[in-house]
Short mmCIF file of all heavy atoms in Angstrom, two decimals:
data_model
loop_
_atom_site.label_atom_id
_atom_site.label_comp_id
_atom_site.label_asym_id
_atom_site.label_seq_id
_atom_site.Cartn_x
_atom_site.Cartn_y
_atom_site.Cartn_z
N ARG A 1 -0.67 -24.23 38.64
CA ARG A 1 -0.85 -24.37 40.02
C ARG A 1 -1.78 -25.53 40.42
O ARG A 1 -1.71 -26.08 41.43
CB ARG A 1 -1.40 -23.05 40.68
CG ARG A 1 -0.46 -21.89 40.54
CD ARG A 1 -0.99 -20.81 41.25
NE ARG A 1 -0.09 -19.64 41.08
CZ ARG A 1 0.25 -18.89 42.14
NH1 ARG A 1 -0.14 -18.99 43.28
NH2 ARG A 1 1.12 -17.90 41.93
N ALA A 2 -2.73 -25.82 39.48
CA ALA A 2 -3.62 -26.93 39.78
C ALA A 2 -2.82 -28.26 39.80
O ALA A 2 -3.13 -29.11 40.60
CB ALA A 2 -4.68 -27.04 38.66
N GLY A 3 -1.81 -28.34 38.99
CA GLY A 3 -0.92 -29.61 39.07
C GLY A 3 -0.21 -29.74 40.38
O GLY A 3 -0.19 -30.80 40.91
N ALA A 4 0.16 -28.62 40.97
CA ALA A 4 0.85 -28.66 42.32
C ALA A 4 -0.21 -29.11 43.30
O ALA A 4 0.20 -29.84 44.20
CB ALA A 4 1.53 -27.30 42.58
N LEU A 5 -1.37 -28.58 43.19
CA LEU A 5 -2.47 -28.97 44.05
C LEU A 5 -2.79 -30.42 44.10
O LEU A 5 -2.91 -31.10 45.11
CB LEU A 5 -3.69 -28.13 43.83
CG LEU A 5 -4.96 -28.38 44.62
CD1 LEU A 5 -4.72 -28.03 46.04
CD2 LEU A 5 -6.10 -27.64 44.04
N VAL A 6 -2.86 -30.94 42.89
CA VAL A 6 -3.24 -32.41 42.73
C VAL A 6 -2.02 -33.20 43.26
O VAL A 6 -2.26 -34.18 44.00
CB VAL A 6 -3.46 -32.73 41.23
CG1 VAL A 6 -3.53 -34.25 41.08
CG2 VAL A 6 -4.74 -32.04 40.78
N ALA A 7 -0.83 -32.78 43.06
CA ALA A 7 0.39 -33.50 43.52
C ALA A 7 0.37 -33.48 45.04
O ALA A 7 0.63 -34.56 45.63
CB ALA A 7 1.63 -32.92 42.99
N ALA A 8 0.04 -32.42 45.67
CA ALA A 8 -0.04 -32.37 47.14
C ALA A 8 -1.11 -33.28 47.62
O ALA A 8 -0.94 -33.93 48.65
CB ALA A 8 -0.19 -30.94 47.68
N ALA A 9 -2.19 -33.25 47.04
CA ALA A 9 -3.36 -34.18 47.44
C ALA A 9 -2.98 -35.63 47.29
O ALA A 9 -3.28 -36.45 48.08
CB ALA A 9 -4.60 -33.85 46.60
N GLU A 10 -2.32 -36.01 46.18
CA GLU A 10 -1.88 -37.35 46.01
C GLU A 10 -0.85 -37.73 47.03
O GLU A 10 -0.96 -38.91 47.54
CB GLU A 10 -1.26 -37.50 44.59
CG GLU A 10 -2.21 -37.45 43.47
CD GLU A 10 -3.11 -38.74 43.37
OE1 GLU A 10 -2.81 -39.67 44.04
OE2 GLU A 10 -4.09 -38.68 42.60
N GLU A 11 0.02 -36.88 47.47
CA GLU A 11 1.00 -37.21 48.49
C GLU A 11 0.32 -37.41 49.78
O GLU A 11 0.61 -38.32 50.46
CB GLU A 11 1.98 -36.02 48.58
CG GLU A 11 3.07 -36.39 49.60
CD GLU A 11 4.17 -35.27 49.71
OE1 GLU A 11 4.15 -34.34 48.84
OE2 GLU A 11 4.91 -35.36 50.63
N LEU A 12 -0.63 -36.53 50.13
CA LEU A 12 -1.32 -36.69 51.34
C LEU A 12 -2.12 -38.04 51.41
O LEU A 12 -2.09 -38.75 52.38
CB LEU A 12 -2.36 -35.55 51.48
CG LEU A 12 -3.36 -35.67 52.70
CD1 LEU A 12 -2.60 -35.66 53.99
CD2 LEU A 12 -4.37 -34.52 52.67
N ALA A 13 -2.80 -38.36 50.29
CA ALA A 13 -3.51 -39.60 50.13
C ALA A 13 -2.57 -40.87 50.27
O ALA A 13 -2.92 -41.75 50.89
CB ALA A 13 -4.23 -39.71 48.77
N HIS A 14 -1.45 -40.75 49.69
CA HIS A 14 -0.43 -41.84 49.79
C HIS A 14 -0.08 -42.03 51.30
O HIS A 14 -0.02 -43.20 51.78
CB HIS A 14 0.81 -41.50 48.97
CG HIS A 14 1.95 -42.42 49.18
ND1 HIS A 14 1.88 -43.77 48.65
CD2 HIS A 14 3.10 -42.41 49.86
CE1 HIS A 14 3.02 -44.38 49.01
NE2 HIS A 14 3.78 -43.56 49.67
N HIS A 15 0.31 -40.92 52.00
CA HIS A 15 0.73 -41.10 53.41
C HIS A 15 -0.41 -41.56 54.32
O HIS A 15 -0.22 -42.19 55.28
CB HIS A 15 1.35 -39.75 53.86
CG HIS A 15 2.69 -39.45 53.24
ND1 HIS A 15 3.77 -40.33 53.42
CD2 HIS A 15 3.06 -38.52 52.45
CE1 HIS A 15 4.78 -39.85 52.78
NE2 HIS A 15 4.32 -38.77 52.11
N ALA A 16 -1.61 -41.11 53.98
CA ALA A 16 -2.78 -41.45 54.78
C ALA A 16 -3.41 -42.83 54.33
O ALA A 16 -4.38 -43.25 54.87
CB ALA A 16 -3.84 -40.41 54.69
N GLN A 17 -2.78 -43.43 53.27
CA GLN A 17 -3.18 -44.66 52.75
C GLN A 17 -4.72 -44.65 52.39
O GLN A 17 -5.53 -45.52 52.77
CB GLN A 17 -2.94 -45.87 53.78
CG GLN A 17 -1.49 -45.94 54.08
CD GLN A 17 -1.18 -47.04 55.07
OE1 GLN A 17 -2.12 -47.53 55.76
NE2 GLN A 17 0.05 -47.39 55.20
N ARG A 18 -5.03 -43.69 51.58
CA ARG A 18 -6.48 -43.46 51.16
C ARG A 18 -6.64 -43.80 49.69
O ARG A 18 -7.79 -43.69 49.19
CB ARG A 18 -6.88 -42.04 51.35
CG ARG A 18 -6.96 -41.67 52.85
CD ARG A 18 -8.06 -42.42 53.54
NE ARG A 18 -7.91 -42.49 54.93
CZ ARG A 18 -8.45 -43.34 55.76
NH1 ARG A 18 -9.28 -44.25 55.31
NH2 ARG A 18 -8.26 -43.31 57.01
N GLY A 19 -5.66 -44.19 48.92
CA GLY A 19 -5.82 -44.46 47.52
C GLY A 19 -5.69 -43.20 46.71
O GLY A 19 -5.49 -42.07 47.25
N PRO A 20 -5.82 -43.23 45.40
CA PRO A 20 -5.69 -42.09 44.59
C PRO A 20 -6.77 -41.08 44.74
O PRO A 20 -7.90 -41.41 45.09
CB PRO A 20 -5.66 -42.66 43.18
CG PRO A 20 -6.43 -43.99 43.27
CD PRO A 20 -6.12 -44.47 44.64
N LEU A 21 -6.46 -39.81 44.34
CA LEU A 21 -7.37 -38.73 44.46
C LEU A 21 -8.57 -39.03 43.41
O LEU A 21 -8.36 -39.36 42.28
CB LEU A 21 -6.77 -37.50 44.00
CG LEU A 21 -7.74 -36.28 43.84
CD1 LEU A 21 -8.24 -35.80 45.26
CD2 LEU A 21 -6.93 -35.09 43.25
N VAL A 22 -9.77 -38.77 43.88
CA VAL A 22 -10.98 -38.95 43.02
C VAL A 22 -11.58 -37.56 42.85
O VAL A 22 -11.68 -37.08 41.75
CB VAL A 22 -11.99 -39.97 43.60
CG1 VAL A 22 -13.30 -39.92 42.82
CG2 VAL A 22 -11.47 -41.38 43.75
N THR A 23 -12.02 -36.91 43.94
CA THR A 23 -12.58 -35.64 43.91
C THR A 23 -12.16 -34.85 45.18
O THR A 23 -12.07 -35.41 46.22
CB THR A 23 -14.10 -35.66 43.82
OG1 THR A 23 -14.54 -36.43 42.71
CG2 THR A 23 -14.74 -34.29 43.80
N SER A 24 -11.90 -33.50 44.99
CA SER A 24 -11.49 -32.71 46.12
C SER A 24 -12.31 -31.42 45.99
O SER A 24 -12.50 -30.88 44.95
CB SER A 24 -10.03 -32.35 46.07
OG SER A 24 -9.67 -31.51 47.06
N VAL A 25 -12.84 -30.99 47.11
CA VAL A 25 -13.58 -29.63 47.24
C VAL A 25 -12.86 -28.71 48.11
O VAL A 25 -12.48 -29.01 49.17
CB VAL A 25 -15.01 -29.90 47.92
CG1 VAL A 25 -15.72 -28.56 47.98
CG2 VAL A 25 -15.80 -30.90 47.08
N LEU A 26 -12.43 -27.59 47.48
CA LEU A 26 -11.71 -26.57 48.20
C LEU A 26 -12.58 -25.41 48.34
O LEU A 26 -13.14 -24.85 47.41
CB LEU A 26 -10.50 -26.24 47.42
CG LEU A 26 -9.49 -27.39 47.17
CD1 LEU A 26 -8.40 -26.97 46.12
CD2 LEU A 26 -8.92 -27.93 48.42
N GLU A 27 -12.77 -24.85 49.56
CA GLU A 27 -13.53 -23.66 49.82
C GLU A 27 -12.64 -22.45 49.93
O GLU A 27 -11.77 -22.39 50.80
CB GLU A 27 -14.39 -23.82 51.03
CG GLU A 27 -15.31 -22.71 51.18
CD GLU A 27 -16.28 -22.89 52.45
OE1 GLU A 27 -16.06 -23.97 53.16
OE2 GLU A 27 -17.05 -22.02 52.69
N TYR A 28 -12.96 -21.41 49.21
CA TYR A 28 -12.24 -20.16 49.23
C TYR A 28 -13.18 -19.07 49.60
O TYR A 28 -14.35 -19.19 49.62
CB TYR A 28 -11.53 -19.80 47.95
CG TYR A 28 -10.55 -20.85 47.54
CD1 TYR A 28 -10.82 -21.84 46.64
CD2 TYR A 28 -9.17 -20.72 47.99
CE1 TYR A 28 -9.81 -22.78 46.30
CE2 TYR A 28 -8.29 -21.62 47.68
CZ TYR A 28 -8.53 -22.64 46.81
OH TYR A 28 -7.63 -23.58 46.54
N GLU A 29 -12.67 -17.85 49.88
CA GLU A 29 -13.48 -16.78 50.28
C GLU A 29 -14.51 -16.42 49.15
O GLU A 29 -15.64 -16.05 49.47
CB GLU A 29 -12.53 -15.51 50.46
CG GLU A 29 -12.84 -14.60 51.57
CD GLU A 29 -11.75 -13.56 51.76
OE1 GLU A 29 -11.75 -12.63 50.93
OE2 GLU A 29 -11.00 -13.72 52.72
N ARG A 30 -14.15 -16.58 47.86
CA ARG A 30 -14.98 -16.17 46.82
C ARG A 30 -15.53 -17.30 46.00
O ARG A 30 -15.90 -17.16 44.87
CB ARG A 30 -14.29 -15.15 45.96
CG ARG A 30 -13.99 -13.88 46.65
CD ARG A 30 -13.51 -12.77 45.75
NE ARG A 30 -12.31 -13.16 45.06
CZ ARG A 30 -11.52 -12.51 44.34
NH1 ARG A 30 -11.92 -11.25 44.03
NH2 ARG A 30 -10.46 -13.04 43.71
N GLY A 31 -15.67 -18.41 46.63
CA GLY A 31 -16.30 -19.62 45.96
C GLY A 31 -15.54 -20.85 46.22
O GLY A 31 -14.66 -21.01 47.12
N PHE A 32 -15.81 -21.86 45.34
CA PHE A 32 -15.25 -23.21 45.59
C PHE A 32 -14.45 -23.55 44.36
O PHE A 32 -14.72 -23.11 43.19
CB PHE A 32 -16.38 -24.20 45.73
CG PHE A 32 -17.16 -24.06 47.03
CD1 PHE A 32 -18.33 -23.19 46.96
CD2 PHE A 32 -16.87 -24.69 48.12
CE1 PHE A 32 -19.03 -23.04 48.09
CE2 PHE A 32 -17.55 -24.48 49.36
CZ PHE A 32 -18.71 -23.69 49.26
N ALA A 33 -13.53 -24.57 44.54
CA ALA A 33 -12.82 -25.11 43.44
C ALA A 33 -12.99 -26.65 43.61
O ALA A 33 -12.70 -27.25 44.65
CB ALA A 33 -11.30 -24.82 43.49
N LEU A 34 -13.56 -27.30 42.53
CA LEU A 34 -13.75 -28.70 42.61
C LEU A 34 -12.66 -29.35 41.67
O LEU A 34 -12.56 -28.92 40.48
CB LEU A 34 -15.09 -29.07 42.02
CG LEU A 34 -16.32 -28.38 42.77
CD1 LEU A 34 -17.55 -28.79 42.04
CD2 LEU A 34 -16.30 -28.65 44.20
N VAL A 35 -11.96 -30.29 42.23
CA VAL A 35 -10.84 -30.94 41.45
C VAL A 35 -11.32 -32.44 41.34
O VAL A 35 -11.50 -33.02 42.33
CB VAL A 35 -9.48 -30.79 42.15
CG1 VAL A 35 -8.42 -31.48 41.32
CG2 VAL A 35 -9.15 -29.32 42.34
N SER A 36 -11.35 -32.89 40.09
CA SER A 36 -11.77 -34.29 39.93
C SER A 36 -10.85 -34.94 38.93
O SER A 36 -10.50 -34.42 37.85
CB SER A 36 -13.20 -34.23 39.32
OG SER A 36 -13.63 -35.64 39.14
N ALA A 37 -10.24 -36.14 39.40
CA ALA A 37 -9.43 -36.91 38.52
C ALA A 37 -10.29 -37.67 37.54
O ALA A 37 -11.13 -38.38 37.92
CB ALA A 37 -8.62 -37.79 39.33
N LEU A 38 -10.13 -37.40 36.16
CA LEU A 38 -10.84 -38.05 35.15
C LEU A 38 -10.14 -39.41 34.70
O LEU A 38 -10.75 -40.38 34.34
CB LEU A 38 -11.12 -37.21 33.97
CG LEU A 38 -11.85 -35.89 34.29
CD1 LEU A 38 -11.94 -35.01 33.00
CD2 LEU A 38 -13.26 -36.21 34.86
N SER A 39 -8.83 -39.33 34.78
CA SER A 39 -8.09 -40.47 34.33
C SER A 39 -6.62 -40.19 34.97
O SER A 39 -6.44 -39.24 35.67
CB SER A 39 -7.90 -40.58 32.84
OG SER A 39 -7.17 -39.57 32.28
N SER A 40 -5.75 -41.09 34.70
CA SER A 40 -4.34 -40.97 35.19
C SER A 40 -3.62 -39.77 34.50
O SER A 40 -2.66 -39.21 35.01
CB SER A 40 -3.51 -42.18 35.02
OG SER A 40 -3.41 -42.48 33.62
N GLU A 41 -4.21 -39.29 33.36
CA GLU A 41 -3.61 -38.12 32.64
C GLU A 41 -4.44 -36.88 32.64
O GLU A 41 -3.99 -35.82 32.14
CB GLU A 41 -3.40 -38.62 31.19
CG GLU A 41 -2.38 -39.78 31.15
CD GLU A 41 -2.19 -40.30 29.80
OE1 GLU A 41 -3.01 -39.86 28.85
OE2 GLU A 41 -1.38 -41.18 29.54
N ALA A 42 -5.69 -36.92 33.13
CA ALA A 42 -6.51 -35.75 33.03
C ALA A 42 -7.16 -35.43 34.34
O ALA A 42 -7.70 -36.31 34.98
CB ALA A 42 -7.62 -36.01 32.00
N VAL A 43 -7.18 -34.12 34.64
CA VAL A 43 -7.91 -33.62 35.86
C VAL A 43 -8.85 -32.50 35.43
O VAL A 43 -8.44 -31.71 34.56
CB VAL A 43 -6.77 -33.07 36.86
CG1 VAL A 43 -7.50 -32.43 38.04
CG2 VAL A 43 -5.92 -34.19 37.34
N LEU A 44 -10.01 -32.53 36.00
CA LEU A 44 -10.98 -31.41 35.77
C LEU A 44 -11.02 -30.51 36.85
O LEU A 44 -11.16 -30.93 38.06
CB LEU A 44 -12.37 -32.08 35.51
CG LEU A 44 -13.48 -31.05 35.30
CD1 LEU A 44 -13.39 -30.39 33.99
CD2 LEU A 44 -14.85 -31.89 35.32
N LEU A 45 -10.90 -29.21 36.69
CA LEU A 45 -10.97 -28.18 37.65
C LEU A 45 -12.25 -27.36 37.41
O LEU A 45 -12.41 -26.78 36.30
CB LEU A 45 -9.78 -27.27 37.59
CG LEU A 45 -9.83 -26.07 38.50
CD1 LEU A 45 -9.91 -26.45 40.02
CD2 LEU A 45 -8.61 -25.12 38.27
N VAL A 46 -13.20 -27.29 38.29
CA VAL A 46 -14.36 -26.55 38.17
C VAL A 46 -14.37 -25.40 39.28
O VAL A 46 -14.36 -25.76 40.43
CB VAL A 46 -15.70 -27.37 38.30
CG1 VAL A 46 -16.92 -26.55 38.12
CG2 VAL A 46 -15.61 -28.58 37.33
N LEU A 47 -14.48 -24.14 38.80
CA LEU A 47 -14.58 -23.05 39.73
C LEU A 47 -16.03 -22.71 39.93
O LEU A 47 -16.81 -22.53 38.94
CB LEU A 47 -13.79 -21.77 39.19
CG LEU A 47 -12.27 -22.13 38.94
CD1 LEU A 47 -11.64 -20.92 38.33
CD2 LEU A 47 -11.55 -22.56 40.18
N VAL A 48 -16.46 -22.60 41.07
CA VAL A 48 -17.86 -22.54 41.46
C VAL A 48 -18.19 -21.30 42.22
O VAL A 48 -17.54 -20.97 43.22
CB VAL A 48 -18.37 -23.77 42.19
CG1 VAL A 48 -19.81 -23.75 42.52
CG2 VAL A 48 -17.98 -25.06 41.51
N HIS A 49 -19.21 -20.60 41.83
CA HIS A 49 -19.72 -19.37 42.51
C HIS A 49 -20.11 -19.81 43.90
O HIS A 49 -20.76 -20.85 44.20
CB HIS A 49 -20.88 -18.77 41.78
CG HIS A 49 -21.25 -17.37 42.24
ND1 HIS A 49 -22.14 -17.16 43.31
CD2 HIS A 49 -20.77 -16.19 41.83
CE1 HIS A 49 -22.24 -15.86 43.48
NE2 HIS A 49 -21.48 -15.24 42.61
N PRO A 50 -19.92 -18.88 45.00
CA PRO A 50 -20.34 -19.27 46.32
C PRO A 50 -21.75 -19.65 46.55
O PRO A 50 -22.09 -20.34 47.48
CB PRO A 50 -19.94 -18.07 47.17
CG PRO A 50 -19.13 -17.15 46.25
CD PRO A 50 -19.30 -17.61 44.85
N SER A 51 -22.69 -19.04 45.71
CA SER A 51 -24.07 -19.38 45.97
C SER A 51 -24.52 -20.63 45.21
O SER A 51 -25.70 -21.01 45.32
CB SER A 51 -24.90 -18.16 45.49
OG SER A 51 -24.75 -17.94 44.13
N ALA A 52 -23.67 -21.30 44.40
CA ALA A 52 -24.04 -22.43 43.69
C ALA A 52 -24.24 -23.65 44.56
O ALA A 52 -23.75 -23.69 45.68
CB ALA A 52 -22.90 -22.77 42.64
N ASN A 53 -25.06 -24.57 44.12
CA ASN A 53 -25.31 -25.83 44.82
C ASN A 53 -24.25 -26.86 44.58
O ASN A 53 -24.26 -27.56 43.63
CB ASN A 53 -26.74 -26.33 44.43
CG ASN A 53 -27.14 -27.56 45.24
OD1 ASN A 53 -26.29 -28.23 45.81
ND2 ASN A 53 -28.41 -27.84 45.21
N VAL A 54 -23.20 -26.82 45.40
CA VAL A 54 -22.03 -27.64 45.23
C VAL A 54 -22.44 -29.11 45.32
O VAL A 54 -21.91 -29.95 44.53
CB VAL A 54 -20.98 -27.35 46.33
CG1 VAL A 54 -19.72 -28.24 46.27
CG2 VAL A 54 -20.50 -25.85 46.13
N GLY A 55 -23.31 -29.48 46.17
CA GLY A 55 -23.82 -30.85 46.21
C GLY A 55 -24.32 -31.38 44.90
O GLY A 55 -24.04 -32.52 44.53
N SER A 56 -25.13 -30.60 44.24
CA SER A 56 -25.76 -30.96 42.96
C SER A 56 -24.68 -31.09 41.91
O SER A 56 -24.69 -32.05 41.15
CB SER A 56 -26.68 -29.92 42.61
OG SER A 56 -27.36 -30.22 41.29
N ILE A 57 -23.69 -30.19 41.95
CA ILE A 57 -22.57 -30.23 40.97
C ILE A 57 -21.83 -31.50 41.24
O ILE A 57 -21.42 -32.26 40.28
CB ILE A 57 -21.75 -29.03 41.00
CG1 ILE A 57 -22.52 -27.85 40.69
CG2 ILE A 57 -20.45 -29.12 40.16
CD1 ILE A 57 -21.86 -26.44 40.91
N LEU A 58 -21.51 -31.87 42.47
CA LEU A 58 -20.73 -33.08 42.73
C LEU A 58 -21.50 -34.23 42.33
O LEU A 58 -20.88 -35.31 41.81
CB LEU A 58 -20.43 -33.13 44.22
CG LEU A 58 -19.36 -32.15 44.76
CD1 LEU A 58 -19.28 -32.22 46.30
CD2 LEU A 58 -17.98 -32.55 44.23
N PHE A 59 -22.84 -34.35 42.53
CA PHE A 59 -23.62 -35.41 42.21
C PHE A 59 -23.50 -35.66 40.63
O PHE A 59 -23.30 -36.77 40.23
CB PHE A 59 -25.10 -35.24 42.58
CG PHE A 59 -26.02 -36.31 42.11
CD1 PHE A 59 -26.06 -37.49 42.84
CD2 PHE A 59 -26.78 -36.13 41.04
CE1 PHE A 59 -26.90 -38.50 42.41
CE2 PHE A 59 -27.60 -37.17 40.55
CZ PHE A 59 -27.69 -38.37 41.20
N ASP A 60 -23.67 -34.56 39.88
CA ASP A 60 -23.61 -34.62 38.40
C ASP A 60 -22.24 -35.07 37.95
O ASP A 60 -22.08 -35.86 37.03
CB ASP A 60 -24.07 -33.35 37.82
CG ASP A 60 -25.55 -33.11 37.83
OD1 ASP A 60 -26.26 -34.13 38.02
OD2 ASP A 60 -25.98 -31.94 37.78
N LEU A 61 -21.18 -34.56 38.65
CA LEU A 61 -19.84 -34.85 38.27
C LEU A 61 -19.57 -36.32 38.43
O LEU A 61 -19.01 -37.01 37.55
CB LEU A 61 -18.83 -33.98 39.09
CG LEU A 61 -17.41 -34.28 38.89
CD1 LEU A 61 -17.00 -33.99 37.40
CD2 LEU A 61 -16.56 -33.39 39.75
N ARG A 62 -19.94 -36.88 39.56
CA ARG A 62 -19.76 -38.36 39.84
C ARG A 62 -20.59 -39.17 38.81
O ARG A 62 -20.12 -40.18 38.39
CB ARG A 62 -20.20 -38.68 41.22
CG ARG A 62 -19.24 -38.19 42.23
CD ARG A 62 -19.57 -38.59 43.66
NE ARG A 62 -18.72 -38.02 44.65
CZ ARG A 62 -18.99 -37.18 45.63
NH1 ARG A 62 -20.40 -36.86 45.79
NH2 ARG A 62 -18.16 -36.72 46.48
N ARG A 63 -21.81 -38.72 38.52
CA ARG A 63 -22.63 -39.44 37.67
C ARG A 63 -22.09 -39.46 36.19
O ARG A 63 -22.29 -40.46 35.50
CB ARG A 63 -24.04 -38.76 37.72
CG ARG A 63 -25.11 -39.46 36.90
CD ARG A 63 -26.43 -38.84 37.20
NE ARG A 63 -27.46 -39.30 36.25
CZ ARG A 63 -28.43 -38.62 35.80
NH1 ARG A 63 -28.69 -37.34 36.41
NH2 ARG A 63 -29.29 -39.04 35.04
N HIS A 64 -21.53 -38.40 35.84
CA HIS A 64 -21.11 -38.31 34.37
C HIS A 64 -19.60 -38.28 34.21
O HIS A 64 -19.10 -37.95 33.15
CB HIS A 64 -21.65 -36.96 33.80
CG HIS A 64 -23.16 -36.90 33.82
ND1 HIS A 64 -23.96 -37.68 32.99
CD2 HIS A 64 -23.94 -36.16 34.57
CE1 HIS A 64 -25.22 -37.45 33.26
NE2 HIS A 64 -25.26 -36.54 34.11
N ARG A 65 -18.80 -38.66 35.22
CA ARG A 65 -17.39 -38.64 35.14
C ARG A 65 -16.89 -39.41 33.98
O ARG A 65 -15.97 -38.98 33.27
CB ARG A 65 -16.77 -39.20 36.41
CG ARG A 65 -15.20 -39.11 36.48
CD ARG A 65 -14.65 -39.87 37.70
NE ARG A 65 -15.36 -39.65 38.90
CZ ARG A 65 -15.18 -38.78 39.78
NH1 ARG A 65 -14.31 -37.83 39.56
NH2 ARG A 65 -15.83 -38.72 40.95
N GLY A 66 -17.33 -40.60 33.70
CA GLY A 66 -16.90 -41.35 32.60
C GLY A 66 -17.09 -40.79 31.29
O GLY A 66 -16.31 -40.77 30.40
N HIS A 67 -18.22 -40.14 31.12
CA HIS A 67 -18.61 -39.51 29.83
C HIS A 67 -17.70 -38.26 29.62
O HIS A 67 -17.16 -38.06 28.56
CB HIS A 67 -20.05 -39.04 29.80
CG HIS A 67 -20.42 -38.39 28.57
ND1 HIS A 67 -20.49 -39.11 27.34
CD2 HIS A 67 -20.75 -37.09 28.28
CE1 HIS A 67 -20.84 -38.22 26.40
NE2 HIS A 67 -21.02 -37.03 26.96
N ILE A 68 -17.50 -37.51 30.69
CA ILE A 68 -16.62 -36.33 30.60
C ILE A 68 -15.26 -36.81 30.27
O ILE A 68 -14.53 -36.12 29.43
CB ILE A 68 -16.58 -35.53 32.00
CG1 ILE A 68 -18.00 -34.92 32.25
CG2 ILE A 68 -15.47 -34.41 31.91
CD1 ILE A 68 -18.14 -34.47 33.63
N ALA A 69 -14.78 -37.84 30.90
CA ALA A 69 -13.39 -38.36 30.64
C ALA A 69 -13.18 -38.78 29.22
O ALA A 69 -12.05 -38.63 28.64
CB ALA A 69 -13.08 -39.54 31.57
N SER A 70 -14.31 -39.25 28.62
CA SER A 70 -14.17 -39.73 27.26
C SER A 70 -14.02 -38.58 26.22
O SER A 70 -13.68 -38.79 25.10
CB SER A 70 -15.36 -40.59 26.84
OG SER A 70 -16.55 -39.91 26.77
N LEU A 71 -14.37 -37.35 26.70
CA LEU A 71 -14.26 -36.16 25.87
C LEU A 71 -12.89 -35.57 25.79
O LEU A 71 -12.64 -34.79 24.90
CB LEU A 71 -15.28 -35.18 26.30
CG LEU A 71 -16.72 -35.54 26.30
CD1 LEU A 71 -17.59 -34.45 26.90
CD2 LEU A 71 -17.15 -35.81 24.81
N VAL A 72 -12.06 -35.92 26.77
CA VAL A 72 -10.65 -35.39 26.80
C VAL A 72 -9.71 -36.36 26.37
O VAL A 72 -9.82 -37.54 26.31
CB VAL A 72 -10.27 -34.78 28.15
CG1 VAL A 72 -10.96 -33.44 28.43
CG2 VAL A 72 -10.53 -35.82 29.19
#
């Protein structure tokens, strides 16, 4: 299902002329889902507890994206 989500986000970005997906934050009743494109072939999905500091996680994700991508 994550693949379909990324495909939908890419289609939206294409039509809105926003460029490729970098990071997406989805809020659900029981927490968040962070979707981050690591490369053209790899996507990271992080499921986050509702009480977690999403801003801090996003900061670290952006800061370490290249290193995370090198691991996959």
Side-chain angles (χ1 to χ4, degrees):
R1 294 184 184 226
L5 176 65
V6 171
E10 288 287 351
E11 183 178 349
L12 174 64
H14 173 75
H15 291 296
Q17 299 178 347
R18 295 292 162 198
L21 174 70
V22 177
T23 302
S24 178
V25 178
L26 303 167
E27 183 178 6
Y28 295 98
E29 221 173 73
R30 295 187 302 183
F32 297 89
L34 309 179
V35 180
S36 182
L38 299 178
S39 70
S40 62
E41 299 175 354
V43 174
L44 176 66
L45 172 65
V46 181
L47 301 177
V48 182
H49 192 273
S51 65
N53 184 339
V54 175
S56 176
I57 296 169
L58 286 171
F59 176 81
D60 287 337
L61 179 58
R62 288 183 184 121
R63 185 171 167 209
H64 300 290
R65 183 189 320 272
H67 182 69
I68 296 168
S70 71
L71 298 172
V72 285

